[in-house]
């Protein structure tokens, strides 16, 4: 990525952060060859939200420099300990480790164009998956209150103890981030991210680049919880400039009333790729179970909200859960959006499989180190 292209990419992300009222991150003006990616680097500066005026300008306060932007990687992976700014949601974070997922993008032409029918009779074109890198990351707790375009700031939930088959617990501030959403930066701060797991998982080592390395506890935690953390499939489809991305996760099986109940969580991101303001009004799900049942779910909004997607706030993300009395199934459906003139249109949710792990293990009942 050229210096100009990298700077434009960063500037666009910062503009979205300011528009959403997130903490203000600001690179200084380019100064010839010392612009980002052109032999130099741009400093990241942060101003707490309480010091922002209605026009997002400091009121007698000096911006605090927290790091230096680096050019985003077009090839290869980011390493454990890489600091970053999320290009869509604006938070600071740090990479724990990567996941290699299969991205099934229905917007990309595939050599396989034949139509197929799944077991529930839902027509869909076959899509060839391609490898795509995601990262397990920690979110800086100072930024969590400002992430308004997400229903929660964690993307990882676990089944709780065996006494209650429906009980769940979450690890706050643990997220999955796509490679293209990473805006990398460096910092001289030995504890640049505030998160209760930061110092438990990472160790500062000034001889390394980046200068944060994995502790044995992080490696042990990743290995122990791998089946419940692993991100394997990502599904994406765009309808009328609204892109829907779905990531399903298998959570495990529990016994309830002499039957087996299989649980999954799924994370959904909605993105408005156009400048027209739209609002999510309804959801319509179809859930097919291998046991032969087909369930229809309709309702207002998602997770109690009806998010507005605009040029300033183009994305919304949420997570939910589903359980089946079978080891696998499928989900698909539509979201109904409303335009400013009152007209409606339906956006397809890409069909995705709910698959259980063949080497079934007992889901964790707490954090394992």
């Amino acid at each position: 990525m050229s210096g100009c292209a990298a700077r434009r990419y960063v500037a666009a992300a910062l503009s979205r952060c300011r528009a959403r009222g997130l903490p203000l991150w600001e690179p200084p003006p380019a100064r010839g060859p010392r612009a980002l990616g052109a032999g130099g680097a741009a400093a990241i500066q942060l101003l707490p939200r309480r010091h922002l005026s209605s026009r997002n300008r400091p009121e007698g306060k000096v911006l605090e420099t927290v790091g230096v932007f680096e050019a985003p990687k077009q090839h290869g992976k980011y390493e454990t300990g890489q600091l970053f700014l999320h290009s869509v949601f604006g938070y600071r974070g740090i990479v724990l480790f990567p996941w290699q997922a299969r991205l099934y993008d229905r917007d990309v032409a595939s050599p396989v164009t034949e139509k197929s029918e799944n077991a529930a009779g839902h027509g869909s074109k076959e899509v060839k998956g391609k490898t795509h890198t995601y990262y397990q990351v920690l979110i800086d707790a100072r930024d969590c209150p400002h992430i308004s375009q997400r229903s929660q700031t964690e993307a990882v939930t676990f089944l709780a103890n065996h006494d209650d088959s429906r009980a769940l617990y979450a690890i706050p501030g643990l997220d999955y981030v796509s490679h293209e959403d990473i805006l990398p930066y460096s910092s001289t701060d030995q504890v640049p991210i505030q998160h209760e797991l930061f110092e438990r998982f990472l160790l500062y080592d000034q001889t390394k680049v980046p200068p944060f390395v994995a502790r044995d506890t992080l490696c042990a935690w990743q290995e122990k919880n791998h089946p419940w953390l692993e991100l394997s499939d990502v599904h994406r489809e765009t309808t009328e400039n609204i892109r829907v991305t779905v990531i399903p996760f298998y959570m495990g099986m529990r016994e309830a009333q002499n039957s087996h109940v299989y649980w999954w969580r799924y994370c959904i991101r909605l993105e408005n790729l156009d400048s027209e303001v739209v609002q999510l009004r309804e959801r319509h799900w179809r859930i097919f179970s291998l046991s032969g049942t087909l369930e229809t779910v309709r309702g207002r909004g998602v997770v109690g909200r009806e998010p507005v997607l605009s040029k300033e706030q183009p994305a919304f993300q949420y997570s939910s859960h589903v359980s089946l009395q079978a080891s696998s199934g499928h989900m698909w459906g539509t979201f109904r959006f409303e335009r400013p003139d009152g007209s409606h249109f339906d956006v397809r949710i890409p069909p995705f499989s709910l698959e259980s792990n063949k080497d079934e293990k007992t889901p964790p009942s707490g954090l394992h180190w």
Side-chain angles (χ1 to χ4, degrees):
M1 180 180 285
S2 68
C4 291
R7 192 169 187 87
R8 285 196 299 270
Y9 183 67
V10 171
L14 296 177
S15 177
R16 290 194 294 269
C17 294
R18 288 193 295 269
R20 291 196 297 274
L22 290 166
L24 181 62
W25 298 72
E26 193 78 59
R31 296 178 181 175
R34 294 203 59 78
L36 176 63
I44 308 170
Q45 295 176 306
L46 175 67
L47 187 69
R49 182 175 178 174
R50 64 180 178 275
H51 296 315
L52 297 184
S53 70
S54 60
R55 304 180 68 179
N56 286 334
R57 294 297 180 188
E59 297 177 341
K61 299 294 181 179
V62 178
L63 295 177
E64 175 189 356
T65 300
V66 297
V68 177
F69 272 124
E70 301 171 348
K73 285 188 177 183
Q74 299 302 296
H75 305 286
K77 298 191 295 289
Y78 294 107
E79 301 296 329
T80 294
Q82 176 66 61
L83 294 167
F84 69 91
L85 174 68
H86 197 295
S87 68
V88 175
F89 298 113
Y91 65 72
R92 288 164 289 178
I94 191 166
V95 171
L96 295 180
F97 46 81
W99 293 111
Q100 291 302 306
R102 296 294 292 175
L103 172 61
Y104 297 91
D105 193 340
R106 305 176 76 80
D107 303 327
V108 178
S110 171
V112 181
T113 58
E114 179 183 354
K115 296 284 184 177
S116 65
E117 298 284 328
N118 65 22
H122 176 63
S124 62
K125 61 182 179 182
E126 294 183 18
V127 182
K128 185 177 181 180
K130 61 180 295 186
T131 302
H132 194 76
T133 303
Y134 276 74
Y135 300 93
Q136 196 89 67
V137 309
L138 294 180
I139 301 174
D140 194 309
R142 293 168 293 185
D143 296 340
C144 289
H146 308 297
I147 309 175
S148 61
Q149 289 301 95
R150 291 177 59 150
S151 62
Q152 63 277 315
T153 54
E154 70 276 343
V156 180
T157 49
F158 294 98
L159 291 176
N161 58 56
H162 285 272
D163 297 333
D164 185 349
S165 63
R166 297 180 61 85
L168 304 172
Y169 72 89
I171 302 177
L174 188 64
D175 200 8
Y176 294 88
V177 180
S178 177
H179 182 86
E180 65 269 20
D181 288 339
I182 296 282
L183 289 177
Y185 74 92
S186 60
S187 172
T188 57
D189 191 344
Q190 294 188 20
V191 187
I193 300 296
Q194 288 189 12
H195 191 288
E196 62 179 347
L197 297 179
F198 180 84
E199 293 185 271
R200 181 170 281 180
F201 281 167
L202 298 164
L203 175 68
Y204 180 76
D205 184 346
Q206 62 181 356
T207 66
K208 304 292 184 181
V209 179
F212 304 99
V213 297
R215 291 181 182 270
D216 291 342
T217 49
L218 174 59
C219 300
W221 181 77
Q222 179 186 6
E223 181 179 358
K224 190 109 178 179
N225 295 289
H226 184 279
W228 326 113
L229 293 171
E230 184 180 15
L231 183 158
S232 57
D233 294 339
V234 179
H235 304 265
R236 181 183 294 166
E237 185 168 5
T238 303
T239 308
E240 297 198 35
N241 290 313
I242 304 298
R243 182 165 64 193
V244 180
T245 303
V246 184
I247 308 177
F249 300 87
Y250 177 58
M251 298 177 64
M253 180 272 294
R254 289 293 165 83
E255 294 185 7
Q257 298 178 347
N258 298 322
S259 65
H260 290 166
V261 179
Y262 297 82
W263 282 85
W264 292 263
R265 71 178 181 272
Y266 55 92
C267 179
I268 292 187
R269 182 155 128 185
L270 306 169
E271 295 176 89
N272 186 356
L273 306 181
D274 197 9
S275 59
E276 182 181 45
V277 178
V278 296
Q279 184 171 12
L280 175 62
R281 291 301 193 186
E282 300 176 14
R283 69 187 185 279
H284 178 202
W285 281 106
R286 305 274 279 178
I287 307 169
F288 175 77
S289 170
L290 186 64
S291 63
T293 62
L294 178 62
E295 181 181 2
T296 298
V297 177
R298 293 181 182 270
R300 295 288 296 181
V302 291
V303 292
R305 296 176 63 173
E306 298 180 20
V308 174
L309 304 183
S310 63
K311 185 176 180 180
E312 294 75 25
Q313 297 185 329
F316 180 79
Q317 184 170 308
Y318 75 96
S319 294
S320 192
H321 302 85
V322 62
S323 62
L324 301 175
Q325 290 186 329
S327 59
S328 64
H330 293 84
M331 290 180 65
W332 68 95
T334 56
F335 291 120
R336 176 154 292 186
F337 280 83
E338 182 178 352
R339 300 185 179 94
D341 62 6
S343 61
H344 295 83
F345 63 99
D346 288 337
V347 172
R348 291 185 296 275
I349 304 171
F352 58 96
S353 297
L354 302 172
E355 301 291 345
S356 59
N357 293 351
K358 293 181 180 179
D359 53 339
E360 179 69 35
K361 298 178 182 178
T362 302
S365 58
L367 286 175
H368 294 274
W369 312 107

